[in-house]
């Protein structure tokens, strides 16, 4: 862009030049007065009234120009376009031109008409004097400079030439350099200023953009000098640190500014100290980034870069949301979502940390706790209630352990507790058992109250020898035995448990082998009419004679078989043998086979039963199947469906061990059963305990009402039998009173004995 090309001038620059013409008005007034006084002086000297005219004219022109300038002052530059600015330039130029033209003409008049040397000297010197001010006052308009120079000088030049004197002519020529110099100087000033205006304008634009960028950054920024005084702080920095007006921070020391934060109470004195230490470390170059917690509500991440002059640029970002998200993820990784207790892995970390103490001697304890019959709560009350109960137990566990122990959730309804014994307890066992005891009791969840007991196993070891994994195995063994023996107790691990565990493991292996080799046998126990006259059915019971240990109690190996998932093989084996053997007995006699809860989880059992009937040729009517109430707990609808299907095929279903489970008499009628076998626990005390007997009679009465047949199990004595007969409490009786279970080949002899 060329300065001369006015048309190309940016409007604001053009405006600033035109404005300069309207400044310094006192020079116009001074000029007007000196012109008027000069002309009046000449008039006084030469007595020519013609000199009064220019005096009046300069005064009048001055008045008009002043009036115009007042109007100029009232202008709003924003509303002006280039045309308007040009008009105002022209207005000024006309006024100035009029003045210089009057001066020039007066000079010519004095040279050509008056011929008085004072008049000539006065007029020419006041005009040339005015020329001097053209550069300083009118540089803003090239047009003005030309007009004024020409209008003031040309009349003098022409008048000097008109005198036809060689010396005057030379003088006239010498005025020409003045004209050129004046124009050149004015143009030079204008161009110089033009370049400066443009440069300043560009700098202002860059500064404005930089300012906008800085103030719209999402990061806070401090630019510090080498003494850590703030040269610049952006808006975000002030917002984040509650520092108020950013202009006020200039030249303040960073420490002082942060102390100001303390006064505005978003930092306390302790936090400030920590923040300053961390910032100092960062600024000294100890690290390139620093995450600084300003409070629990705000985390700022700072990065520092050093400038060549020793200054520092600190950029910082509010990373609170990111830190919160990280903390949340960490919490989810570390804690169980349902109960909020530490999960297994994090519990391990906590225990490791708690073990990092110098003294390896004091004993520490680890306990596993399991809610008794929790599955029953889930099955009967629903998983929502089950979850609420787990939460309630967890809450109480937290409270009980309080600051003394670490707690966590292992899995399902199993909880872990580590007691670091920081107080060097005299009797750690008592403390461990106290934790367990405090957890048992009533829990109210969702308006229902549950009496909860927990089984626990715990192990104790000197702190220096504590290995979590090992202790967990030990506590688990102790828990296993606690549950097997008596629920609701806490059991300390003793080394024999290891041996027992190994023993159980080897028994499991041996059972697996025995089942694979079909080494189990089946014995039969009769169910007879109470008078002992007829045998109606034989119950098939498995037996396992271990090669080294001898006979293993049936209930024990059946439980193991369920644990290691070989129970279905046993069921299939007993079914096959029982059907085969039954076919050798009189047609009126049936055989009854026990099913496990595991068998009833799958419809396959129907196929297994039908296959046994098919290969033996035994009619379905001669086969009874015994199921316990626990079979019905898992999936009552599915199990009922399977039993109905079997019944439809002619098989009789008996509900075994009645009275030992959760059965309520109320749902008896909904079950697809034909017989109930009252457990021997009911029979044991009937002779001595009248209430027990009444209960038995009640059950029998109800079952008969429902059309069910009643077998009373475990009748051992004549006294029991007589009572049952007297009050007609049994349709069939099974028990040692008539016969113990016998092997297949003895059944015929037994039948003969019964007659
Ligand atoms: P259960 O089905 O209730 O069988 C009756 C149990 O009571 C048998 O014990 C039997 O020997 C015993 N018993 C019979 N009369 C008397 C008596 O007068 N006094 C006493 N004290 N006991 C008597 P066993 O054979 O030890 O079987 C225990 C349990 O093992 C059985 O109880 C049954 O639930 C289960 N079981 C036995 N064999 C099998 C099988 O092949 N499959 C499955 N799934 N379970 C079986
Ligand atoms: Mg049975
Ligand atoms: Mg039974």
């Amino acid at each position: 862009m060329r300065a001369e090309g006015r048309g190309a001038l940016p409007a604001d620059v053009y405006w600033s030049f035109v404005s300069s013409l309207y400044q310094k008005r006192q020079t116009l007034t001074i000029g007007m007065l000196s012109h008027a006084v000069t002309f009046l002086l000449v008039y006084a000297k030469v007595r020519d009234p013609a000199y009064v005219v220019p005096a009046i004219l300069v005064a009048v022109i001055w008045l008009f120009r002043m009036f115009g300038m007042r109007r100029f002052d009232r202008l709003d530059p924003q509303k002006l376009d280039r045309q308007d600015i040009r008009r105002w330039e022209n207005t000024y130029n006309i006024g100035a031109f009029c003045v210089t033209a009057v001066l020039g003409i007066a000079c010519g008049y004095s040279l050509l008409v008056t011929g008085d040397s004072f008049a000539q000297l006065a007029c020419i010197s006041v005009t040339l004097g005015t020329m001097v001010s053209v550069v300083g006052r009118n540089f803003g308009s090239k047009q003005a400079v030309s007009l004024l120079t020409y209008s003031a000088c040309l009349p003098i030049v022409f008048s000097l030439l008109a005198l036809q004197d060689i010396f005057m002519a030379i003088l006239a020529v010498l005025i020409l350099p003045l004209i050129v110099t004046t124009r050149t100087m004015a143009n030079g000033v204008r161009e110089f200023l033009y370049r400066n205006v443009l440069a300043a304008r560009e700098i202002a634009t860059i500064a404005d953009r930089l300012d906008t960028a800085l103030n719209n950054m999402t990061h806070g920024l401090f630019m510090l000098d080498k003494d850590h005084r703030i040269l610049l702080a952006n808006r975000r920095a002030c917002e984040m640190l509650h520092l108020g007006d950013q202009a006020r921070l200039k030249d303040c020391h960073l420490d002082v500014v942060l102390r100001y934060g303390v006064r505005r109470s978003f930092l306390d004195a302790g936090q400030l100290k920590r923040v300053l230490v961390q910032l100092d470390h960062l600024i000294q170059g100890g690290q390139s980034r620093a995450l600084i917690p300003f409070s629990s509500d705000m985390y700022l991440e700072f990065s520092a870069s050093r400038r060549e002059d020793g200054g520092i640029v600190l950029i910082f970002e509010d990373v609170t949301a990111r830190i919160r998200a990280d903390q949340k993820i960490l919490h989810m990784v570390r804690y169980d979502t349902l109960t909020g207790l530490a999960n297994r892995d994090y519990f391990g970390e906590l225990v490791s940390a708690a073990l990092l103490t110098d003294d390896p001697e004091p004993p520490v304890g680890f306990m596993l706790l399991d809610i008794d019959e929790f599955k029953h709560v889930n099955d009967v009350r629903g998983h929502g209630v089950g979850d609420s109960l787990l939460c309630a137990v967890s809450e109480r566990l937290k409270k009980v352990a309080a600051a003394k122990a670490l707690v966590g959730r292992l899995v399902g309804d199993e909880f872990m507790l580590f007691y670091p014994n920081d107080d060097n307890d005299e009797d750690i066992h008592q403390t461990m058992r106290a934790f367990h005891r405090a957890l048992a009791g009533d829990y109210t969840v969702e308006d229902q109250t549950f009496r909860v007991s927990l089984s626990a196993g715990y192990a104790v070891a000197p702190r220096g020898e504590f290995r979590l994994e090992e202790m967990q195995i030990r506590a688990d063994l102790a828990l296993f035995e606690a549950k097997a023996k008596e629920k609701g107790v806490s059991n300390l691990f003793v080394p024999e448990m290891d041996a027992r565990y190994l023993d159980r493991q080897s028994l499991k292996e041996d059972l697996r082998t025995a089942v694979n080799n079909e080494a189990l046998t089946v014995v039969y126990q009769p169910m007879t009419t109470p008078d002992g006259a007829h045998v109606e059915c034989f119950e098939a019971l498995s037996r396992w004679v271990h090669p080294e240990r001898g006979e293993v109690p049936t209930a024990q190996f059946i439980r193991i078989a369920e644990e290691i998932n070989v129970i279905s093989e046993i069921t299939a084996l007993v079914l096959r043998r029982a059907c085969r053997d039954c076919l050798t007995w009189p047609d009126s006699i049936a055989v009854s086979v026990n099913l496990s809860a595991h068998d009833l989880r799958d419809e396959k059992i129907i196929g297994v039963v039908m296959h046994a009937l098919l290969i033996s040729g035994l009619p379905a009517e001669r086969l009874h199947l015994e199921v316990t109430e626990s079979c019905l707990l898992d999936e009552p609808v599915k199990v009922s469906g399977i039993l109905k299907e079997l019944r439809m095929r002619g098989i009789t279903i008996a509900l075994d061990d009645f009275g030992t489970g959760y059965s309520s008499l109320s749902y008896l009628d909904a079950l697809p059963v034909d017989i109930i076998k009252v457990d021997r626990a009911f029979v044991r005390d009937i002779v001595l305990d009248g209430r027990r007997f009444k209960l038995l009679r009640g059950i029998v009465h109800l079952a008969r009402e429902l059309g069910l047949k009643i077998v009373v199990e475990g009748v051992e004595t004549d006294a029991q039998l007589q009572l049952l007969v007297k009050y007609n409490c049994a349709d069939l009786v099974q028990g040692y009173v008539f016969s113990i279970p016998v092997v297949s080949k003895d059944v015929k002899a037994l039948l003969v004995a019964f007659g």
Side-chain angles (χ1 to χ4, degrees):
M1 187 184 292
R2 288 172 60 231
E4 282 79 7
R6 174 140 329 141
L9 267 184
D12 57 335
V13 179
Y14 182 24
W15 168 254
S16 73
F17 281 131
V18 172
S19 302
S20 74
L21 301 172
Y22 284 85
Q23 309 303 316
K24 297 183 228 122
R25 290 173 204 173
Q26 66 276 25
T27 61
L28 293 183
T29 309
I30 293 166
M32 180 275 290
L33 288 173
S34 67
H35 297 154
V37 170
T38 304
F39 292 129
L40 290 176
L41 267 177
V42 174
Y43 164 70
K45 173 79 177 30
V46 299
R47 288 287 156 195
D48 181 351
Y51 285 99
V52 178
V53 176
I56 293 171
L57 277 176
V58 291
V60 171
I61 294 166
W62 175 81
L63 267 178
F64 273 107
R65 292 180 78 190
M66 285 301 146
F67 177 69
M69 288 196 174
R70 284 277 171 84
R71 278 179 50 224
F72 180 86
D73 290 342
R74 288 195 291 270
L75 288 177
D76 178 358
Q78 305 296 330
K79 292 184 180 157
L80 300 181
D81 59 18
R82 297 186 72 83
Q83 289 299 324
D84 299 326
I85 300 170
R86 181 169 295 275
R87 262 199 301 280
W88 281 101
E89 182 187 8
N90 291 341
T91 306
Y92 176 86
N93 290 352
I94 290 167
F97 170 77
C98 290
V99 174
T100 48
V102 167
L103 294 175
I105 291 165
C107 287
Y109 185 79
S110 69
L111 285 168
L112 295 177
V113 181
T114 313
D116 178 82
S117 60
F118 175 76
Q120 287 167 349
L121 179 67
C123 289
I124 290 171
S125 56
V126 83
T127 303
L128 293 181
T130 301
M131 282 295 294
V132 175
S133 74
V134 167
V135 175
R137 171 145 240 308
N138 302 296
F139 66 86
S141 167
K142 188 182 179 190
Q143 193 188 39
V145 172
S146 300
L147 278 175
L148 303 193
T149 314
Y150 293 138
S151 59
C153 295
L154 288 183
I156 300 174
V157 172
F158 291 132
S159 302
L160 289 172
L161 291 174
L163 290 174
Q164 295 182 349
D165 178 292
I166 184 64
F167 293 103
M168 289 298 183
I170 292 170
L171 207 56
V173 171
L174 287 177
I175 288 178
L176 292 177
L178 176 69
I179 297 174
V180 173
T181 313
T182 304
R183 291 190 65 222
T184 311
M185 277 168 50
N187 288 342
V189 170
R190 191 170 55 254
E191 267 200 54
F192 175 76
L193 286 176
Y194 172 71
R195 273 198 297 274
N196 276 287
V197 167
L198 275 194
R201 207 166 155 265
E202 205 158 313
I203 289 169
T205 310
I206 291 169
D208 189 51
R209 284 182 193 148
L210 196 65
D211 209 42
T212 310
L214 282 176
N215 286 326
N216 286 292
M217 276 169 72
T218 51
H219 290 56
L221 179 141
F222 283 134
M223 193 179 278
L224 309 177
D225 67 9
K226 61 179 179 359
D227 301 320
H228 303 169
R229 275 191 300 264
I230 293 176
L231 297 173
L232 194 145
N234 73 350
R235 190 164 49 215
R236 188 80 185 102
C238 298
E239 279 168 9
M240 276 195 255
L241 300 177
H242 308 264
L243 299 176
D245 182 10
Q246 54 198 109
R248 279 172 45 208
L249 304 180
K250 176 118 179 49
D251 292 331
C252 293
H253 204 280
L254 183 63
D255 288 12
V256 177
V257 166
L258 290 176
R259 283 204 179 90
Y260 179 71
V262 175
R263 284 213 304 281
R264 301 194 114 200
S265 74
F266 88 97
L267 273 179
D268 64 35
Q271 284 168 337
L272 172 72
K273 213 169 157 192
R274 222 180 35 246
V275 169
L276 289 179
V277 169
Q278 278 186 274
L279 274 180
D280 200 47
H281 191 51
L282 181 74
I283 288 171
Q284 299 310 327
Q287 60 194 109
S288 61
R289 280 179 167 272
L291 177 67
I292 304 183
F294 271 65
S295 63
S296 59
D297 298 336
M298 184 165 77
Y299 290 82
L300 300 182
E301 189 169 54
F302 282 75
S303 65
S305 51
R306 204 162 277 278
R307 290 162 53 209
E308 272 181 10
D309 61 0
I312 305 280
V313 178
L314 282 181
I315 293 181
F316 52 100
E317 185 187 5
D318 185 348
V319 290
T320 314
R322 193 186 81 202
I323 298 293
R324 289 255 170 80
D326 287 352
Q327 285 172 341
K328 207 169 168 188
I329 290 168
L330 198 63
H331 192 272
M332 281 161 69
V333 169
R334 289 177 161 177
Y335 294 91
D336 170 50
T337 36
L338 176 67
T339 60
L341 291 176
N343 62 22
R344 185 202 193 115
D345 290 344
Y346 188 52
F347 181 83
E349 285 175 33
L350 293 176
V351 169
S352 304
L355 288 169
L356 293 177
T357 50
D358 300 334
D359 190 356
E361 283 305 314
V364 294
F366 176 80
M367 182 178 259
L368 283 178
L369 299 133
D370 183 292
I371 303 177
D372 295 328
E373 314 295 359
F374 180 70
K375 187 175 173 321
H376 178 56
V377 177
N378 263 344
D379 291 341
V380 177
R381 308 291 164 115
H383 287 263
V385 176
D387 284 353
S388 304
L389 183 59
L390 281 177
C391 290
V393 173
S394 306
E395 281 311 307
R396 198 175 292 182
L397 181 60
K398 278 186 228 169
K399 218 185 283 165
V400 164
K404 283 173 108 186
L406 297 170
V407 291
R409 183 182 178 200
L410 182 64
V411 61
D413 62 341
E414 275 193 44
F415 300 93
M416 313 170 269
L417 180 146
F418 172 73
Y419 179 56
N421 194 7
D422 291 330
D423 306 333
N424 276 343
D425 241 344
E426 291 278 295
D427 188 355
I428 187 171
H429 299 280
Q430 197 201 328
T431 312
M432 296 298 283
R433 284 195 296 270
F435 285 134
H436 167 253
R437 263 198 315 277
L439 281 176
D442 287 348
Y443 287 80
T444 304
V445 291
E446 300 187 12
D447 298 332
Q448 303 173 53
T449 301
F450 295 89
R451 171 141 297 185
V452 172
S453 74
L454 293 98
S455 300
Y458 72 97
V460 170
R463 188 177 293 163
E465 291 169 24
F466 185 95
R467 305 281 171 273
L468 183 59
E469 263 179 42
E470 200 178 306
M471 296 302 271
Q472 195 174 323
I473 293 170
R474 290 180 179 182
D476 207 23
L477 287 176
L479 174 63
F480 177 83
E481 294 206 3
K483 284 204 285 195
K485 266 190 262 158
E486 182 189 0
K487 297 205 162 131
V489 296
S490 62
N491 205 13
L492 169 68
F493 169 83
V494 286
E496 296 84 75
M497 287 179 182
D498 259 339
R500 285 202 285 268
Y501 173 72
L502 292 175
D503 187 60
R504 256 201 318 277
Q505 292 308 101
S506 85
L507 197 62
K508 281 181 188 172
E509 271 317 298
D510 295 344
L511 178 61
R512 207 185 289 278
T513 315
V515 172
N516 284 343
N517 298 338
E518 299 201 346
L520 303 189
T521 55
V522 181
V523 293
Y524 299 96
Q525 186 179 30
M527 293 174 220
T528 61
T529 49
D531 57 5
H534 301 290
V535 175
E536 285 203 1
C537 180
F538 278 96
E539 178 172 7
L541 298 159
S542 328
R543 292 290 177 262
W544 178 32
V545 182
H546 188 277
E548 287 132 34
R549 303 168 195 243
E551 189 165 314
V552 182
T554 307
Q556 186 187 344
F557 81 76
I558 290 292
R559 199 171 49 242
I560 296 175
E562 285 174 340
E563 241 177 85
I564 61 172
N565 278 327
V566 294
I567 189 69
S568 310
E569 280 89 330
I570 296 181
T571 305
L573 176 79
V574 176
L575 269 169
R576 281 199 309 275
R577 297 226 181 126
C579 291
R580 188 193 65 198
D581 291 341
C582 183
L583 209 60
T584 64
W585 308 332
D587 290 350
S588 61
I589 298 177
V591 71
S592 190
V593 174
N594 292 284
L595 294 186
S596 150
H598 289 246
D599 295 321
L600 290 162
R601 282 184 194 152
D602 204 318
E603 271 108 2
K604 266 196 241 160
I605 186 65
I606 301 171
V608 174
V609 172
M610 296 318 290
H611 179 70
L613 287 174
L614 189 74
I615 57 168
S616 63
L618 185 76
E621 290 69 31
R622 291 181 67 188
L623 178 64
H624 295 190
L625 294 173
E626 298 187 12
V627 297
T628 57
E629 291 153 288
S630 60
C631 298
L632 293 153
L633 279 179
D634 275 351
E635 291 177 80
V637 179
K638 189 171 179 183
V639 172
S640 289
I642 293 173
L643 296 181
K644 274 183 193 144
E645 179 70 34
L646 289 166
R647 248 176 128 206
M648 263 170 49
R649 293 172 190 237
I651 295 160
T652 303
I653 307 293
L655 188 61
D656 202 0
D657 300 346
F658 186 80
T660 55
Y662 307 102
S663 61
S664 60
L665 298 166
S666 57
Y667 73 81
L668 257 186
D669 68 323
L671 287 176
V673 295
D674 310 282
I675 298 173
I676 65 165
K677 296 186 75 178
V678 179
D679 192 74
R680 72 167 184 269
F682 269 89
V683 183
R684 200 164 39 220
D685 303 325
I686 52 169
V687 179
L688 299 171
D689 188 344
R691 280 167 57 89
R692 252 353 230 169
F693 188 55
K694 266 192 190 149
L695 197 59
L696 175 67
R697 287 178 67 190
I699 293 169
V700 169
H701 177 71
L702 183 89
R704 288 229 172 93
E705 289 285 299
L706 294 170
L708 301 172
K709 204 167 186 176
I710 291 148
V711 179
V712 178
E713 291 187 290
V715 182
E716 291 183 349
T717 63
D718 285 330
Q720 289 168 338
L721 183 65
Q722 276 165 25
L723 210 55
L724 292 172
V725 171
K726 184 174 173 194
Y727 290 96
N728 186 22
C729 288
D731 297 314
L732 291 174
V733 167
Q734 180 181 351
Y736 298 164
V737 72
F738 287 121
S739 170
I740 60 164
V742 296
V743 293
S744 173
K745 67 177 171 53
D746 294 343
V747 166
K748 283 205 178 108
L750 189 81
L751 287 172
V752 172
F754 271 99

